[in-house]
C-alpha cells in the first residue's frame, strides 16, 4: 500500500524481509513462507443469507438483479443509485431458516460477501454502508447488530471481484440482548445520499 506500492514491479523482486520493532525479548518459529492467492475462504458456509441469483423476498431500493457480472451462480445484485440517491436492501428470513446453528459460537464466525466495482475514485471514502442484523421483533428498533464500512473498503479496486469478510465479533450490539435463535431480518443500506456509482454484490453468507 502507499506511494511505493504504485511503482512496484513483480517481475523484478530483489529481496524480502521480515522485521520486528524494538521491544522485549521473544521467541517465535516461522515455517512455510509462500505467496498464496487471496482472498481464499477455506470454510463451508453455515448459512447463505442471499445467493443473489434472484430477488424474490428481498426488498430493495436502487438495486436490481444482474446476470452478466457474476461471481458465483447465475446472478448478482447491481447497486446503482442515481446522483443524490442511495441504496438499501432488506430480507425477512422464512420460518425454515434455522439461525440457531450460529448461537453457540458467533465469535468464531464471520459475514462474507463478494463485491465488484465498475470504477473507484476519491468519492468512495465518503460513501458509507451499514450492515444490520435484527432479532426478536419484526421492526428496525429491536435488538440488532450493526457494522459500518465505506465503499472503498468494500471494493478498493475496480474491475475485479473482492471478498469482504467481517467477523461477527466486530458487529456492535448496542442493546446487549441480541438473540441468534430469533433472527428476524437483515439489511444493507447506504447511510446518506451521494454520487452515482455502480457496484455488484454476490454470495452473502455466514
Amino acid at each position: 500500500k502507499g506511494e511505493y506500492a504504485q511503482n512496484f514491479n513483480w517481475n523484478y523482486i530483489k529481496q524480502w524481509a521480515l522485521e520486528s520493532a524494538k521491544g522485549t525479548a521473544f521467541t517465535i518459529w516461522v515455517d512455510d513462507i509462500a505467496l498464496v492467492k487471496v482472498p481464499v475462504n477455506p470454510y463451508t458456509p453455515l448459512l447463505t443469507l442471499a445467493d443473489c441469483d434472484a430477488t424474490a423476498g428481498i426488498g430493495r431500493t436502487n438495486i436490481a438483479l444482474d446476470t452478466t457480472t457474476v461471481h458465483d451462480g447465475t446472478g448478482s445484485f447491481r447497486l446503482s443509485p442515481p446522483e443524490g440517491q442511495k441504496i438499501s436492501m432488506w430480507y425477512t428470513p422464512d420460518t425454515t431458516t434455522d439461525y440457531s446453528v450460529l448461537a453457540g459460537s458467533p465469535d468464531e464466525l464471520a459475514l462474507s460477501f463478494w463485491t465488484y466495482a465498475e470504477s473507484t475514485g476519491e468519492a468512495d471514502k465518503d460513501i458509507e454502508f451499514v450492515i444490520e442484523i435484527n432479532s426478536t421483533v419484526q421492526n428496525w428498533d429491536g435488538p440488532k447488530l450493526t457494522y459500518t464500512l465505506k465503499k472503498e473498503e468494500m471494493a478498493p479496486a475496480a474491475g475485479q471481484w473482492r471478498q469482504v469478510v467481517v467477523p461477527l465479533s466486530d458487529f456492535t450490539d448496542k442493546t446487549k440482548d441480541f438473540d441468534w435463535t430469533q433472527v428476524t431480518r437483515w439489511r444493507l443500506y447506504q447511510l446518506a445520499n451521494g454520487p452515482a456509482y455502480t457496484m455488484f454484490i454476490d454470495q452473502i453468507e455466514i
Side-chain angles (χ1 to χ4, degrees):
K1 297 182 178 180
E3 58 179 313
Y4 297 107
Q6 297 177 9
N7 299 316
F8 188 86
N9 186 352
W10 281 103
N11 296 316
Y12 187 59
I13 298 178
K14 296 174 61 178
Q15 63 182 39
W16 65 268
L18 173 66
E19 299 177 336
S20 67
K22 293 181 179 179
T24 58
F26 64 88
T27 301
I28 62 172
W29 286 262
V30 177
D31 196 1
D32 286 332
I33 300 174
L35 293 177
V36 297
K37 184 178 180 180
V38 294
V40 174
N41 180 6
Y43 305 105
T44 301
L46 290 179
L47 285 176
T48 296
L49 302 185
D51 59 17
C52 303
D53 290 341
T55 56
I58 296 181
R60 60 199 187 281
T61 302
N62 291 322
I63 294 177
L65 180 66
D66 187 272
T67 57
T68 57
T69 305
V70 177
H71 177 264
D72 192 23
T74 60
S76 68
F77 291 163
R78 183 177 67 251
L79 288 57
S80 53
E83 181 79 22
Q85 297 186 29
K86 56 187 177 182
I87 66 94
S88 179
M89 70 175 177
W90 58 96
Y91 176 67
T92 302
D94 58 46
T95 56
T96 63
T97 304
D98 183 13
Y99 284 89
S100 64
V101 296
L102 309 178
S105 55
D107 291 343
E108 301 174 3
L109 304 174
L111 177 73
S112 168
F113 56 93
W114 291 81
T115 60
Y116 180 104
E118 286 192 343
S119 62
T120 56
E122 187 66 20
D124 287 1
K125 68 178 184 296
D126 299 320
I127 302 174
E128 288 189 300
F129 300 92
V130 175
I131 305 170
E132 183 176 293
I133 307 173
N134 299 79
S135 79
T136 310
V137 293
Q138 289 283 0
N139 61 57
W140 304 121
D141 299 322
K144 69 182 69 174
L145 302 177
T146 59
Y147 185 83
T148 303
L149 69 170
K150 298 180 183 293
K151 181 175 180 289
E152 64 179 358
E153 298 175 90
M154 292 174 65
Q160 62 186 46
W161 284 99
R162 178 179 187 270
Q163 187 182 26
V164 180
V165 178
V166 182
L168 297 185
S169 58
D170 287 356
F171 279 71
T172 299
D173 182 4
K174 292 183 178 180
T175 60
K176 306 301 181 185
D177 56 357
F178 187 89
D179 185 353
W180 276 109
T181 66
Q182 298 186 55
V183 173
T184 54
R185 61 178 66 182
W186 62 264
R187 65 172 171 167
L188 168 71
Y189 63 94
Q190 189 175 327
L191 271 177
N193 296 335
Y197 63 86
T198 298
M199 184 170 67
F200 303 84
I201 189 169
D202 202 355
Q203 294 301 117
I204 306 172
E205 301 167 322
I206 292 177

